[in-house]
Amino acid sequence: MSETKAITNAFIVTGEASGRIIEKGHIVFEGSRIKSVAAGNPKGDIDVEFDASGKVAIPGLITAHTHLYGILLRGASLNIDLPTDFAQVLQRVWWPVDEALTLEDAYASALAASADMLRNGSTFFADTYSGPNSIESSLDMIAKATEEIGIRSMLAFEATERHTKEEGQRGLSENVRFAKKIKGNELTSLMMSIHASFTVSDDLIQQAAKMARNIDIPLTIHTSEGLVDLYHNLERYGERTIERLNRLEALGPKTVLAHCVHINNHEIELISKSKTSVAHNPMSNMLNAVGISPVIDMLNEGITIGLGNDGWIFDPFENMRCAYTIHRLASGNPSIIGPDQIFRMATLDGARCYGLENKIGSLEAGKLADIVILDCSRVPTPITCSSIIGHIISTFNGRDVSDVFVNGELVVKNREIVRVPDNKIREVSQESAARLWKRL
Ligand SMILES: [Zn+2]
């Protein structure tokens, strides 16, 4: 029998569809599963009690799109001609980095980025790795790191035909190989991934979509992030990005489109009709100056939207804050989107993007015990049922996360990663980054 653990005396934001909030209650979990979430004290025997008096418990936050290896570029000053558009950002910054990545970098970046996300309250992320010179077994290296840290993840190698057709096939194969290997793994799962429609042929898109359907895993693809994607598809195929993906049968309830910045109403309709989801990355979109995704229009069409960081700023609170403000600025309407909607994107809707809404994304009996505890010592005004979601969007940040449970295990305690010493994480990523910077 697994131990029965209980978080007691907590202010609980369940994140469930009803929006239930409990002012003082408990969360009981046995092994990896939540048994009850209710007001008052738990009934029955509890083996381990975690007293959360004066603290807030929220569901582990969901990062719907990331690139762990992005962390190795923090602070790097590259000796390049400065890019003036998104295509140049890829050509001058990211693609040379991709090519320089080794399996050791895949491991080191996954260790540091997982630790960063977990400590900041993200308990699940969907990551795609890109490295044309480190394809085979890259996913083993990443999973080794994420499992050492104890974070839940969905991984993929980002297949592309940027250099050769063969490169695309090797990318797909790495995903299929890894999918078989990790079958039944509770922490790590796999999705199929293709980089973006402008770096792959029709064949590869169709093949990836078919493989994903056969193994019954999600498919993810960068979509109309910059204008280069749209122009490529208009020039070569006479159709817009989403129209091409629709023709190739790559849309559907298990497809997650990252970005969707340059899309029109017809494309929104196609996304909505096919029940495709979208991972919105507002901070990265600002960083790369690609534009503002029509999130409000997509929400109005009932499209499920999760929040991603795209490999930059691994603090989900900052990403929520940006998503909350960017659409107000873009629309000139300060009421265009509310904090509840943003919180849902970072929790239940993020989980829904990947078909995980029955497992994670809210604190409910039967779901996996992925729970984030927030320290409230910095909060300047009362925490009440009507103020708490506002605080989550406007007051807290990743540094207020005191403790984190994943699968019912305490993996962050008083802001420290429990399973791997912080100095080891830092050492591994510093050394790897220093070598990478030299190669660049
Ligand atoms: Zn991305």
Side-chain angles (χ1 to χ4, degrees), residues 65 67 222 259 310:
H65 179 80
H67 306 285
H222 290 92
H259 299 291
D310 206 19

Side-chain angles (χ1 to χ4, degrees), residues 151-437:
I151 196 166
R152 194 180 303 287
S153 69
M154 187 175 275
L155 308 177
F157 187 90
E158 200 175 87
T160 174
E161 292 171 317
R162 222 160 70 212
H163 304 92
T164 60
K165 290 239 172 234
E166 188 229 343
E167 180 185 7
Q169 294 303 316
R170 285 171 59 203
L172 295 186
S173 299
E174 172 66 2
N175 287 327
V176 174
R177 178 194 68 78
F178 194 69
K180 286 183 191 146
K181 183 178 171 184
I182 55 156
K183 223 169 180 199
N185 184 322
E186 266 215 314
L187 268 188
T188 313
S189 53
L190 183 104
M191 58 187 170
M192 187 58 71
S193 162
I194 22 189
H195 168 242
S197 68
F198 68 98
T199 68
V200 295
S201 61
D202 277 4
D203 274 356
L204 198 83
I205 296 177
Q206 276 174 319
Q207 227 183 322
K210 203 172 158 196
M211 280 177 172
R213 276 195 298 273
N214 286 347
I215 331 178
D216 196 27
I217 53 173
L219 167 71
T220 191
I221 177 166
H222 290 92
T223 310
S224 281
E225 178 177 2
L227 282 168
V228 57
D229 206 6
L230 173 63
Y231 291 163
H232 173 92
N233 291 316
L234 283 174
E235 273 174 26
R236 291 231 185 156
Y237 303 92
E239 54 197 353
R240 298 178 68 95
T241 309
I242 307 293
E243 292 166 346
R244 181 171 167 222
L245 294 177
N246 183 52
R247 171 173 58 79
L248 299 172
E249 298 180 340
L251 302 181
K254 287 215 140 188
T255 298
V256 183
L257 305 175
H259 299 291
C260 288
V261 174
H262 301 284
I263 56 170
N264 68 11
N265 287 342
H266 179 234
E267 290 174 290
I268 291 175
E269 202 185 308
L270 290 173
I271 296 170
S272 169
K273 271 191 181 156
S274 57
K275 298 193 164 36
T276 303
S277 304
V278 172
H280 176 39
N281 302 272
M283 292 191 85
S284 159
N285 293 159
M286 286 164 69
L287 178 72
N288 292 324
V290 290
I292 299 170
S293 171
V295 161
I296 305 301
D297 296 338
M298 289 195 279
L299 288 172
N300 288 339
E301 290 304 315
I303 295 168
T304 300
I305 301 181
L307 287 184
N309 61 35
D310 206 19
W312 190 56
I313 311 294
F314 292 165
D315 179 342
F317 292 89
E318 284 198 45
N319 275 291
M320 283 194 275
R321 200 130 55 224
C322 182
Y324 184 56
T325 46
I326 194 172
H327 303 291
R328 295 174 169 228
L329 178 65
S331 65
N333 176 354
S335 305
I336 198 88
I337 195 160
D340 293 275
Q341 177 73 62
I342 299 293
F343 182 61
R344 207 156 46 237
M345 286 181 182
T347 52
L348 203 51
D349 282 354
R352 209 185 303 281
C353 287
Y354 293 94
L356 297 172
E357 70 275 19
N358 294 323
K359 290 186 173 168
I360 54 175
S362 63
L363 302 176
E364 293 177 71
K367 283 198 171 184
L368 292 164
D370 293 0
I371 307 160
V372 167
I373 307 293
L374 298 170
D375 181 272
C376 300
S377 52
R378 236 173 33 81
V379 179
T381 52
I383 293 181
T384 66
C385 290
S386 60
S387 74
I388 184 62
I389 303 292
H391 279 306
I392 289 172
I393 306 301
S394 301
T395 308
F396 291 112
N397 65 38
R399 286 189 186 82
D400 297 309
V401 171
S402 62
D403 307 270
V404 180
F405 294 81
V406 172
N407 253 354
E409 178 186 338
L410 186 65
V411 286
V412 174
K413 189 180 177 188
N414 293 325
R415 288 208 56 70
E416 295 257 327
I417 300 289
V418 174
R419 288 179 171 194
V420 187
D422 277 346
N423 56 0
K424 189 204 159 188
I425 300 168
R426 210 165 34 245
E427 218 172 88
V428 169
S429 76
Q430 292 255 357
E431 282 175 9
S432 178
R435 281 195 290 268
L436 174 68
W437 290 11

